[in-house]
Amino acid sequence: MRLRPPSARVPVSRPAALTRAAAAGPSAVVAAAGLAVGPSGPTVTLAGPAVTLAVLAALTGLLAAVLPRGLAPSGVLLLLVGEHLAATAELSPVARTAVAVPTAAALWLVHALYGLAAAVPLDAEVDRSVVRRWLVRQRGVLLVSVPTGVVAVLLTGAVPRAAVLPVVAVGAAAALLVLPLLLVRQADR
Amino acid sequence: MSLALTRGVSRAAGLAALLLVTAATTGRADLAVLAAPFVLGPALALTGGRPTVRAGLRLSAARAAEGSTVDALVTVVAGGADVDLAEVRLAARPGQAGVRPYLVALSAAEQRTVALPVAAPRWGRHTVGGVTVRPTGRGLGERGLAVTTPGAALTVLPQVQPFAAADHALPARLRAGNHRSRRPGPGVEPVAVRPYAAGDRLRQVDWRTTSRTGALHVRATTTDSATDVVVLLDTLSDAGPPGGTVLDTAVRAAAGIADHYLAFGDSVGLVQYGGRLRTLAARAGRGQLARAQEWLLDVRPPLNAMVAERSEPWSPTTRHTAALVVALTPLLDERTAVLLATLRRRGAMVVAVDVLPAGAVPPPGGSAEADLARRLWLLEREALQARLGELGVPVVPWGGAGSIDAVLAALVRVGAAPRAGVR
C-alpha cells in the first residue's frame, strides 16, 4: 500500500512568542521613553524624580510585557497620563492640545499592544491576517478619534480656534479618508 | 444578551471615564484629546456584535503510516460579526504530541480552512481532536462562545520494519511462486542436461548437446515454488518503554515479514496467541498485505493477568504444521515455549524471534536482592532458549533486515533432511 508522504506546508504564520514580544516589548519602551524624555525635552526631565519615574515606568512596562493580562498595563497607562499632566502643567492650552495629539496616539498604541499580547497564547502560531487586521483597526481608531477629540476641544471653546485650525483641517481630512476603512467590510484575506 | 468583554475594553472604558472626569473637574481640555481613542475604540468593538463561529474538522488522509504527518483541516466559518481573532486549538490526547494553537482572523460570514499538521502516533486506531475554536470580536473587544467539534478517526498503520531474507527454498507446497526449490519440474532454473524421455517438451531440447552427442538431450530445470508462512504473535505479556514495547516490535516485525514473503508470492497468515485468540487465514497476493496491516491494528495485550491466564488455546491445523512458523515472542511465558515445541513436534518449521526490547531488561546496579533476581531470571531465560534449541526451535533476537536469515538457511537444510524421529 502506498502511503501519503508527509505534507509540505507553506509557512504562513509566525510564532506567537515573537508576536507577543513585538506587541508588549515596545509598550515598555514607549512607557519608559515617554516618562524619561517627556514632551518638554530631555534636558528638563532627565533629572531627579523624572529618572526615578522612568525606571519605575520601565519596570512596570516590563511587568506588563510579561503579564499583559494583569493590572500592570493599567499602571503603565496611568503613569503615562500622570507624566503628561506634570510635563504640560506650565504650557498654554494650545501647546497642551498640540502635545496631547502624539501622546494620545502613544497611549492608545500602548493599550492596544498590551491588548493584543494578552489575547495571543504563548504557544500559538499567528496568521498574518490577525496582525494585518489589528494594524488596520488601530490605524483607523487613531486617525478618526484624535482629530475628533481636537474638534471636540475646539467646540468647547477651551482653545482658541485659530491656533488649532491647521490641526483640525488635517485631522478632518484624515478622518474622511479613513472612515471607509472602518465601515467597509475588511478584504484582507 | 450578556457581554463577555475582554480586559482591554474594560481598561479602555475605565481610562476614558477617568480622563473625561479629570478634564471636566480640572479644566484641562487636552485630556479630552487623550480620552478620544479610548472612547472610540471600545465603541467600535461593542458595535461589532458578539462573535460567533461554526467549525468542522476533517483529516487530509484517513490512513497514515507511523512517523508520517497528516493535516487536520479545520474549517472555521464566522457568523454575522467580524472575528478579529479566532483561536483554533486541537485537543491533545494521551500518546499524541500536542499541536500548537493557530490564530486566524475572519470577516463576517467568511470561511477559512486551517491546516494543523499532526504527527501520526503509534500504530492503531486513533481519534484526532476535536477542535475548540474561541472567537474574539472586532477590536479584540468581546469574546464569543467557544465551539468544539468531535474528533476525526485516524488509522495509523504499523511501520514496516525492514526485513530481507535471502531466497531460500523453503519446504514448499506444490504451488507456483518465486522461491527456487530442489524439486525437478517446469521452471527457469537449469540444473542439468539429460537424455530425452517421453513427455519432455520440444522447447526443452538442448540442441548444442544433441548435435554433439547425436542423441536427443533436454535441459532439466527445478520448479519455482511458494510456501506458507505463519507469523505467530505472542501477546501473553507486554513490556518495554512506550512506543518500543514487545507488542510494538512484534507488530512492526510482523508487517515486515508479511511484506517480504508476500512479495515472493508466498501465503502469509497471522495468529495472535494470548488473551483472545485471533487468526488471519493464510493467503497470497498484495491484497493480503493490506488485510494483514488491518488485522495487526487490532492486536492488543490481555487486559489483565487474569485474562492472560485464561487465554484461549490454539489448536494448529495441518496447514499450520506444514508451514514455516515465525513466532514473535518475548519468551516471558512458558506456555509459548510449550506451544512452539508442540508445533515443532508436529512437523512445522519453527523460528522463535525474540522481540523483548533491551529497555525491558532491568539494568544491573540495584540492590543485592534485585541483582540476584535479575541474574536468576536471565539464567532461566537462557535455559528456556537452550531447551527450545534442543527441540529444533532456534531462537534469534529480532534485528531487522537479515536477522533471521542464517536461521532460515539452517532450517532449509533441516527441512531437506529426512524426518526420522521427528513426530
PDB file of all heavy atoms in Angstrom, chain A residues 94-117:
ATOM      1  N   VAL A  94      -3.079  75.849  23.998  1.00  0.00           N
ATOM      2  CA  VAL A  94      -2.817  75.458  22.602  1.00  0.00           C
ATOM      3  C   VAL A  94      -1.669  74.449  22.549  1.00  0.00           C
ATOM      4  O   VAL A  94      -1.753  73.422  21.853  1.00  0.00           O
ATOM      5  CB  VAL A  94      -2.472  76.717  21.765  1.00  0.00           C
ATOM      6  CG1 VAL A  94      -2.069  76.298  20.353  1.00  0.00           C
ATOM      7  CG2 VAL A  94      -3.640  77.660  21.732  1.00  0.00           C
ATOM      8  N   ALA A  95      -0.600  74.760  23.298  1.00  0.00           N
ATOM      9  CA  ALA A  95       0.546  73.841  23.304  1.00  0.00           C
ATOM     10  C   ALA A  95       0.160  72.497  23.910  1.00  0.00           C
ATOM     11  O   ALA A  95       0.579  71.437  23.435  1.00  0.00           O
ATOM     12  CB  ALA A  95       1.688  74.457  24.104  1.00  0.00           C
ATOM     13  N   ARG A  96      -0.656  72.545  24.956  1.00  0.00           N
ATOM     14  CA  ARG A  96      -1.103  71.287  25.579  1.00  0.00           C
ATOM     15  C   ARG A  96      -1.867  70.420  24.564  1.00  0.00           C
ATOM     16  O   ARG A  96      -1.653  69.220  24.475  1.00  0.00           O
ATOM     17  CB  ARG A  96      -2.045  71.594  26.741  1.00  0.00           C
ATOM     18  CG  ARG A  96      -1.361  71.949  28.032  1.00  0.00           C
ATOM     19  CD  ARG A  96      -2.426  72.194  29.060  1.00  0.00           C
ATOM     20  NE  ARG A  96      -1.926  72.925  30.197  1.00  0.00           N
ATOM     21  CZ  ARG A  96      -2.701  73.562  31.065  1.00  0.00           C
ATOM     22  NH1 ARG A  96      -4.011  73.586  30.889  1.00  0.00           N
ATOM     23  NH2 ARG A  96      -2.182  74.185  32.087  1.00  0.00           N
ATOM     24  N   THR A  97      -2.740  71.068  23.828  1.00  0.00           N
ATOM     25  CA  THR A  97      -3.533  70.312  22.847  1.00  0.00           C
ATOM     26  C   THR A  97      -2.629  69.727  21.769  1.00  0.00           C
ATOM     27  O   THR A  97      -2.815  68.573  21.338  1.00  0.00           O
ATOM     28  CB  THR A  97      -4.593  71.222  22.212  1.00  0.00           C
ATOM     29  OG1 THR A  97      -5.336  71.862  23.245  1.00  0.00           O
ATOM     30  CG2 THR A  97      -5.528  70.433  21.318  1.00  0.00           C
ATOM     31  N   ALA A  98      -1.642  70.529  21.362  1.00  0.00           N
ATOM     32  CA  ALA A  98      -0.716  70.023  20.336  1.00  0.00           C
ATOM     33  C   ALA A  98       0.075  68.839  20.872  1.00  0.00           C
ATOM     34  O   ALA A  98       0.277  67.839  20.167  1.00  0.00           O
ATOM     35  CB  ALA A  98       0.229  71.150  19.905  1.00  0.00           C
ATOM     36  N   VAL A  99       0.495  68.916  22.131  1.00  0.00           N
ATOM     37  CA  VAL A  99       1.250  67.804  22.730  1.00  0.00           C
ATOM     38  C   VAL A  99       0.346  66.591  22.943  1.00  0.00           C
ATOM     39  O   VAL A  99       0.775  65.425  22.840  1.00  0.00           O
ATOM     40  CB  VAL A  99       1.882  68.268  24.075  1.00  0.00           C
ATOM     41  CG1 VAL A  99       2.421  67.077  24.859  1.00  0.00           C
ATOM     42  CG2 VAL A  99       2.982  69.264  23.819  1.00  0.00           C
ATOM     43  N   ALA A 100      -0.921  66.865  23.220  1.00  0.00           N
ATOM     44  CA  ALA A 100      -1.844  65.760  23.520  1.00  0.00           C
ATOM     45  C   ALA A 100      -2.068  64.840  22.320  1.00  0.00           C
ATOM     46  O   ALA A 100      -2.382  63.655  22.488  1.00  0.00           O
ATOM     47  CB  ALA A 100      -3.185  66.317  23.997  1.00  0.00           C
ATOM     48  N   VAL A 101      -1.901  65.389  21.102  1.00  0.00           N
ATOM     49  CA  VAL A 101      -2.166  64.561  19.916  1.00  0.00           C
ATOM     50  C   VAL A 101      -1.202  63.369  19.832  1.00  0.00           C
ATOM     51  O   VAL A 101      -1.647  62.213  19.781  1.00  0.00           O
ATOM     52  CB  VAL A 101      -2.125  65.425  18.633  1.00  0.00           C
ATOM     53  CG1 VAL A 101      -2.167  64.546  17.393  1.00  0.00           C
ATOM     54  CG2 VAL A 101      -3.287  66.400  18.633  1.00  0.00           C
ATOM     55  N   PRO A 102       0.134  63.569  19.830  1.00  0.00           N
ATOM     56  CA  PRO A 102       1.013  62.377  19.804  1.00  0.00           C
ATOM     57  C   PRO A 102       0.929  61.551  21.083  1.00  0.00           C
ATOM     58  O   PRO A 102       1.077  60.324  21.051  1.00  0.00           O
ATOM     59  CB  PRO A 102       2.416  62.973  19.640  1.00  0.00           C
ATOM     60  CG  PRO A 102       2.299  64.391  20.078  1.00  0.00           C
ATOM     61  CD  PRO A 102       0.902  64.826  19.777  1.00  0.00           C
ATOM     62  N   THR A 103       0.664  62.239  22.215  1.00  0.00           N
ATOM     63  CA  THR A 103       0.555  61.469  23.462  1.00  0.00           C
ATOM     64  C   THR A 103      -0.649  60.521  23.409  1.00  0.00           C
ATOM     65  O   THR A 103      -0.570  59.366  23.857  1.00  0.00           O
ATOM     66  CB  THR A 103       0.420  62.426  24.654  1.00  0.00           C
ATOM     67  OG1 THR A 103       1.489  63.380  24.610  1.00  0.00           O
ATOM     68  CG2 THR A 103       0.482  61.677  25.968  1.00  0.00           C
ATOM     69  N   ALA A 104      -1.750  61.033  22.864  1.00  0.00           N
ATOM     70  CA  ALA A 104      -2.943  60.186  22.751  1.00  0.00           C
ATOM     71  C   ALA A 104      -2.667  58.984  21.861  1.00  0.00           C
ATOM     72  O   ALA A 104      -3.071  57.843  22.166  1.00  0.00           O
ATOM     73  CB  ALA A 104      -4.107  60.999  22.192  1.00  0.00           C
ATOM     74  N   ALA A 105      -1.936  59.233  20.767  1.00  0.00           N
ATOM     75  CA  ALA A 105      -1.604  58.126  19.865  1.00  0.00           C
ATOM     76  C   ALA A 105      -0.730  57.094  20.578  1.00  0.00           C
ATOM     77  O   ALA A 105      -0.954  55.875  20.464  1.00  0.00           O
ATOM     78  CB  ALA A 105      -0.900  58.669  18.631  1.00  0.00           C
ATOM     79  N   ALA A 106       0.279  57.606  21.318  1.00  0.00           N
ATOM     80  CA  ALA A 106       1.167  56.681  22.032  1.00  0.00           C
ATOM     81  C   ALA A 106       0.407  55.898  23.093  1.00  0.00           C
ATOM     82  O   ALA A 106       0.576  54.681  23.240  1.00  0.00           O
ATOM     83  CB  ALA A 106       2.312  57.459  22.669  1.00  0.00           C
ATOM     84  N   LEU A 107      -0.465  56.597  23.831  1.00  0.00           N
ATOM     85  CA  LEU A 107      -1.261  55.922  24.871  1.00  0.00           C
ATOM     86  C   LEU A 107      -2.112  54.809  24.273  1.00  0.00           C
ATOM     87  O   LEU A 107      -2.168  53.683  24.794  1.00  0.00           O
ATOM     88  CB  LEU A 107      -2.184  56.944  25.547  1.00  0.00           C
ATOM     89  CG  LEU A 107      -1.704  57.639  26.808  1.00  0.00           C
ATOM     90  CD1 LEU A 107      -2.775  58.598  27.303  1.00  0.00           C
ATOM     91  CD2 LEU A 107      -1.397  56.628  27.886  1.00  0.00           C
ATOM     92  N   TRP A 108      -2.777  55.138  23.177  1.00  0.00           N
ATOM     93  CA  TRP A 108      -3.663  54.136  22.563  1.00  0.00           C
ATOM     94  C   TRP A 108      -2.866  52.950  22.031  1.00  0.00           C
ATOM     95  O   TRP A 108      -3.279  51.798  22.176  1.00  0.00           O
ATOM     96  CB  TRP A 108      -4.500  54.759  21.443  1.00  0.00           C
ATOM     97  CG  TRP A 108      -5.304  53.724  20.739  1.00  0.00           C
ATOM     98  CD1 TRP A 108      -5.062  53.179  19.524  1.00  0.00           C
ATOM     99  CD2 TRP A 108      -6.461  53.047  21.254  1.00  0.00           C
ATOM    100  NE1 TRP A 108      -5.982  52.215  19.232  1.00  0.00           N
ATOM    101  CE2 TRP A 108      -6.863  52.114  20.282  1.00  0.00           C
ATOM    102  CE3 TRP A 108      -7.185  53.148  22.448  1.00  0.00           C
ATOM    103  CZ2 TRP A 108      -7.962  51.290  20.460  1.00  0.00           C
ATOM    104  CZ3 TRP A 108      -8.291  52.316  22.616  1.00  0.00           C
ATOM    105  CH2 TRP A 108      -8.670  51.401  21.631  1.00  0.00           C
ATOM    106  N   LEU A 109      -1.721  53.230  21.431  1.00  0.00           N
ATOM    107  CA  LEU A 109      -0.913  52.129  20.894  1.00  0.00           C
ATOM    108  C   LEU A 109      -0.397  51.225  22.016  1.00  0.00           C
ATOM    109  O   LEU A 109      -0.396  49.999  21.884  1.00  0.00           O
ATOM    110  CB  LEU A 109       0.260  52.688  20.081  1.00  0.00           C
ATOM    111  CG  LEU A 109      -0.096  53.106  18.659  1.00  0.00           C
ATOM    112  CD1 LEU A 109       1.132  53.649  17.946  1.00  0.00           C
ATOM    113  CD2 LEU A 109      -0.668  51.930  17.870  1.00  0.00           C
ATOM    114  N   VAL A 110       0.023  51.847  23.108  1.00  0.00           N
ATOM    115  CA  VAL A 110       0.470  51.041  24.253  1.00  0.00           C
ATOM    116  C   VAL A 110      -0.674  50.141  24.726  1.00  0.00           C
ATOM    117  O   VAL A 110      -0.508  48.931  24.929  1.00  0.00           O
ATOM    118  CB  VAL A 110       0.962  51.954  25.394  1.00  0.00           C
ATOM    119  CG1 VAL A 110       1.136  51.159  26.682  1.00  0.00           C
ATOM    120  CG2 VAL A 110       2.272  52.613  25.007  1.00  0.00           C
ATOM    121  N   HIS A 111      -1.844  50.748  24.865  1.00  0.00           N
ATOM    122  CA  HIS A 111      -3.014  49.982  25.317  1.00  0.00           C
ATOM    123  C   HIS A 111      -3.339  48.848  24.338  1.00  0.00           C
ATOM    124  O   HIS A 111      -3.573  47.700  24.744  1.00  0.00           O
ATOM    125  CB  HIS A 111      -4.202  50.939  25.451  1.00  0.00           C
ATOM    126  CG  HIS A 111      -5.527  50.249  25.377  1.00  0.00           C
ATOM    127  ND1 HIS A 111      -6.041  49.538  26.436  1.00  0.00           N
ATOM    128  CD2 HIS A 111      -6.433  50.151  24.360  1.00  0.00           C
ATOM    129  CE1 HIS A 111      -7.222  49.034  26.080  1.00  0.00           C
ATOM    130  NE2 HIS A 111      -7.473  49.390  24.828  1.00  0.00           N
ATOM    131  N   ALA A 112      -3.338  49.167  23.056  1.00  0.00           N
ATOM    132  CA  ALA A 112      -3.724  48.167  22.055  1.00  0.00           C
ATOM    133  C   ALA A 112      -2.686  47.050  21.961  1.00  0.00           C
ATOM    134  O   ALA A 112      -3.036  45.881  21.755  1.00  0.00           O
ATOM    135  CB  ALA A 112      -3.904  48.846  20.700  1.00  0.00           C
ATOM    136  N   LEU A 113      -1.426  47.413  22.097  1.00  0.00           N
ATOM    137  CA  LEU A 113      -0.376  46.383  22.038  1.00  0.00           C
ATOM    138  C   LEU A 113      -0.491  45.416  23.216  1.00  0.00           C
ATOM    139  O   LEU A 113      -0.350  44.205  23.052  1.00  0.00           O
ATOM    140  CB  LEU A 113       1.003  47.043  22.031  1.00  0.00           C
ATOM    141  CG  LEU A 113       1.445  47.667  20.708  1.00  0.00           C
ATOM    142  CD1 LEU A 113       2.655  48.563  20.911  1.00  0.00           C
ATOM    143  CD2 LEU A 113       1.768  46.580  19.693  1.00  0.00           C
ATOM    144  N   TYR A 114      -0.775  45.966  24.375  1.00  0.00           N
ATOM    145  CA  TYR A 114      -0.977  45.081  25.527  1.00  0.00           C
ATOM    146  C   TYR A 114      -2.224  44.211  25.319  1.00  0.00           C
ATOM    147  O   TYR A 114      -2.241  43.040  25.707  1.00  0.00           O
ATOM    148  CB  TYR A 114      -1.116  45.890  26.813  1.00  0.00           C
ATOM    149  CG  TYR A 114       0.205  46.350  27.375  1.00  0.00           C
ATOM    150  CD1 TYR A 114       0.384  47.658  27.804  1.00  0.00           C
ATOM    151  CD2 TYR A 114       1.277  45.480  27.491  1.00  0.00           C
ATOM    152  CE1 TYR A 114       1.593  48.095  28.318  1.00  0.00           C
ATOM    153  CE2 TYR A 114       2.492  45.903  27.994  1.00  0.00           C
ATOM    154  CZ  TYR A 114       2.651  47.207  28.411  1.00  0.00           C
ATOM    155  OH  TYR A 114       3.846  47.610  28.914  1.00  0.00           O
ATOM    156  N   GLY A 115      -3.238  44.774  24.710  1.00  0.00           N
ATOM    157  CA  GLY A 115      -4.460  44.009  24.435  1.00  0.00           C
ATOM    158  C   GLY A 115      -4.175  42.844  23.497  1.00  0.00           C
ATOM    159  O   GLY A 115      -4.647  41.721  23.710  1.00  0.00           O
ATOM    160  N   LEU A 116      -3.371  43.102  22.476  1.00  0.00           N
ATOM    161  CA  LEU A 116      -3.019  42.032  21.531  1.00  0.00           C
ATOM    162  C   LEU A 116      -2.162  40.970  22.228  1.00  0.00           C
ATOM    163  O   LEU A 116      -2.378  39.764  22.046  1.00  0.00           O
ATOM    164  CB  LEU A 116      -2.267  42.624  20.338  1.00  0.00           C
ATOM    165  CG  LEU A 116      -1.790  41.615  19.291  1.00  0.00           C
ATOM    166  CD1 LEU A 116      -2.978  40.924  18.634  1.00  0.00           C
ATOM    167  CD2 LEU A 116      -0.931  42.282  18.238  1.00  0.00           C
ATOM    168  N   ALA A 117      -1.201  41.452  23.014  1.00  0.00           N
ATOM    169  CA  ALA A 117      -0.333  40.489  23.711  1.00  0.00           C
ATOM    170  C   ALA A 117      -1.141  39.608  24.647  1.00  0.00           C
ATOM    171  O   ALA A 117      -0.856  38.416  24.800  1.00  0.00           O
ATOM    172  CB  ALA A 117       0.743  41.235  24.486  1.00  0.00           C
TER     173      ALA A 117
END
